[in-house]
Amino acid sequence: MQIVIDARLILNQTTGIGNYLTNLINALLKIDLENHYTLLLDEKLDSNHPVDLLEQKNLTKRRIKTSAVSLKQHIAIPLQLWKENANIYHYPHFDLPLLQRCNSVITIHDLKYIIAPSFFPEFSISKKLYMSLSIRSSVKRARKVIVVSESTKEDLMRLFGVPAPKISVVPLAVGKRFAVSLNKEEIKIKLKKKGIHGKYFLFVGERRPHKNIVRLIEAFKIFKDRNSEKYQLVIVGKRYSNYTVPEQKIKELDLESNVIMVGYVPDEELPLYYQGAEMLVFPSMYEGFGIPILEAMACGIPVITSNISSMPEVAGNAAVLVNPYETNEIAAAMQRICSNRDLRKDLIAKGSKNVKRFNWEKTAEKTLSVYEESYMDGRK
């Protein structure tokens, strides 16, 4: 098969989709030497990016001027696919190019803009409508739809009427770097430069409204007021748009010296923050998957996460699940893990076992099976 993977969403600053594509491509090239792969890369991608440095006999890379999620791509990408004589086109987003006629596979990572539009007030009605129509059109025209969790599959079936046989659940995984133990003294030295010292709770994720950071800050305040021992709350992730409510809440609760907002951290530096933390507290109100849960478990720290959406599915029996709308419940979970060494050890052990359910080779194998099914279906 001539397989074209649209990798234009691999950007110089790592994103969730970019991380997904990078790991998937690496794993596919390791397990599949028979089919030919063509990667469509953004022309602005650094020439030293790991994906651009890949060299293999069954691999071709093309630099594309047309950006993803644009009107121009609906013409430019079909032309490119025709030039490549593609059998399979994998597009990892919700707006599959309209004019393409290739057997296509799309990946829907989540439906947050549809499920929880109130979390994105800056989006105009027209933009929300465009997203809804694009998803509806894309899932209808695609030969197969990949989703990253059973939760997202159920959402897709319920909201867009996609038949179950058309959807394949292909979970994500974490990179091997998260399982490599770092020197504890080096961790302390590096974190101290960021204003982080002593014990701290960790949150990882872009600071979007649905990530529930405001309630996390409120829960931390409750915990802090009940304990004499000093803790910090460290929030890793860039600010979303002009959303500054978490910063306002920190000031309102007089927590400026206790809550550290680190901002964007490159993927390769994340293990430092995980391995230095007491635990990950991830009380998001909606996730298509929730990769920080697995990253934390791979790094050997306990996890608190939400009892809704995809998070119980990813966490298995290896996390303390809480109602993300109840700040007292989040605070109580933090207290439980801090005061109960046996519970902490049990969660770490279960987390180490749980994370082994997910690996990029399995993800690649399942994805390749979806390509093969799509190709055979297209020949019927």
Side-chain angles (χ1 to χ4, degrees):
M1 289 185 293
Q2 191 78 1
I3 301 167
V4 176
I5 298 178
D6 198 324
R8 290 173 295 149
L9 284 168
I10 296 178
L11 306 175
N12 293 320
Q13 194 174 84
T14 306
T15 63
I17 295 178
N19 186 55
Y20 161 72
L21 286 167
T22 300
N23 284 289
L24 174 63
I25 290 164
N26 272 290
L28 281 169
L29 292 174
K30 287 178 181 176
I31 68 167
D32 183 14
L33 301 177
E34 295 181 9
N35 297 300
H36 187 274
Y37 289 85
T38 298
L39 307 182
L40 305 184
L41 302 173
D42 189 285
E43 67 167 352
K44 296 177 183 177
L45 186 69
D46 287 344
S47 58
N48 63 349
H49 190 282
V51 168
D52 198 39
L53 294 174
L54 289 172
E55 296 292 342
Q56 200 161 295
K57 287 184 179 180
N58 64 331
L59 174 67
T60 302
K61 291 167 287 186
R62 308 283 191 209
R63 291 279 181 160
I64 304 295
K65 292 182 179 180
T66 307
S67 62
V69 197
S70 67
L71 291 175
K72 288 183 179 179
Q73 76 162 354
H74 294 291
I75 296 174
I77 297 303
L79 283 173
Q80 189 67 41
L81 294 174
W82 176 74
K83 290 178 184 177
E84 303 295 343
N85 195 26
N87 299 123
I88 294 294
Y89 171 54
H90 185 176
Y91 186 69
H93 212 34
F94 67 86
D95 59 332
L96 182 67
L98 287 167
L99 299 179
Q100 68 86 27
R101 293 293 178 265
C102 179
N103 290 324
S104 56
V105 174
I106 63 171
T107 300
I108 301 292
H109 295 270
D110 60 59
L111 295 170
K112 58 178 173 281
Y113 299 109
I114 309 300
I115 296 274
S118 61
F119 292 138
F120 306 93
E122 75 284 2
F123 275 32
S124 64
I125 293 175
S126 59
K127 192 167 185 177
K128 291 174 183 175
L129 180 61
Y130 168 74
M131 284 186 166
S132 181
L133 292 174
S134 292
I135 293 171
R136 191 173 298 279
S137 171
S138 295
V139 297
K140 184 178 181 180
R141 291 181 292 115
R143 185 71 63 181
K144 294 285 183 180
V145 179
I146 290 174
V147 294
V148 296
S149 65
E150 291 288 348
S151 175
T152 302
K153 178 180 178 178
E154 291 171 9
D155 290 340
L156 204 56
M157 292 169 63
R158 175 171 54 87
L159 295 170
F160 293 96
V162 183
K166 191 173 187 175
I167 306 172
S168 295
V169 178
V170 183
L172 304 179
V174 293
K176 293 180 180 178
R177 66 168 62 91
F178 291 94
V180 177
S181 295
L182 303 175
N183 182 280
K184 291 184 178 181
E185 288 305 314
E186 287 184 14
I187 291 174
K188 288 180 181 178
I189 292 169
K190 290 180 179 178
L191 291 176
K192 195 172 182 180
K193 293 177 181 178
K194 300 288 185 179
I196 304 167
H197 48 81
K199 296 180 178 181
Y200 66 90
F201 303 106
L202 179 68
F203 172 88
V204 176
E206 188 174 8
R207 303 200 301 267
R208 292 171 176 259
H210 73 281
K211 296 291 186 178
N212 208 24
I213 297 171
V214 172
R215 286 194 183 91
L216 170 58
I217 293 166
E218 291 173 342
F220 174 70
K221 171 66 172 174
I222 294 169
F223 173 89
K224 178 180 173 295
D225 290 346
R226 291 175 180 171
N227 290 271
S228 57
E229 188 175 3
K230 290 185 179 180
Y231 284 81
Q232 290 178 304
L233 171 62
V234 176
I235 297 171
V236 171
K238 66 180 182 179
R239 191 180 79 184
Y240 170 70
S241 186
N242 60 354
Y243 181 66
T244 59
V245 180
E247 290 90 334
Q248 294 167 24
K249 181 58 67 173
I250 291 168
K251 189 174 182 180
E252 175 192 322
L253 297 178
D254 192 26
L255 292 172
E256 287 96 335
S257 61
N258 304 98
V259 181
I260 309 295
M261 286 196 167
V262 178
Y264 172 78
V265 170
D267 206 44
E268 58 271 17
E269 292 181 19
L270 278 176
L272 172 75
Y273 292 89
Y274 281 115
Q275 292 186 30
E278 288 297 296
M279 67 191 76
L280 175 77
V281 189
F282 191 71
S284 178
M285 292 183 279
Y286 175 82
E287 293 292 324
F289 188 81
I291 197 70
I293 297 169
L294 293 186
E295 291 174 344
M297 290 177 178
C299 284
I301 62 171
V303 173
I304 296 170
T305 192
S306 302
N307 61 4
I308 58 174
S309 189
S310 65
M311 287 159 280
E313 179 184 340
V314 175
N317 69 341
V320 174
L321 302 181
V322 296
N323 181 339
Y325 296 93
E326 295 293 337
T327 53
N328 280 306
E329 192 172 327
I330 299 168
M334 296 160 75
Q335 184 70 57
R336 279 181 62 204
I337 296 175
C338 286
S339 60
N340 189 330
R341 289 186 178 182
D342 290 338
L343 173 61
R344 179 182 178 81
K345 288 180 181 178
D346 184 54
L347 288 170
I348 291 172
K350 287 179 177 177
S352 178
K353 185 177 179 180
N354 180 65
V355 80
K356 291 174 184 176
R357 293 192 294 133
F358 308 87
N359 68 66
W360 284 111
E361 186 172 307
K362 286 182 182 178
T363 300
E365 289 171 352
K366 290 181 179 181
T367 302
L368 183 57
S369 293
V370 175
Y371 294 162
E372 290 168 346
E373 289 173 22
S374 302
Y375 179 63
M376 296 306 297
D377 285 353
R379 299 187 68 182
K380 289 179 182 178

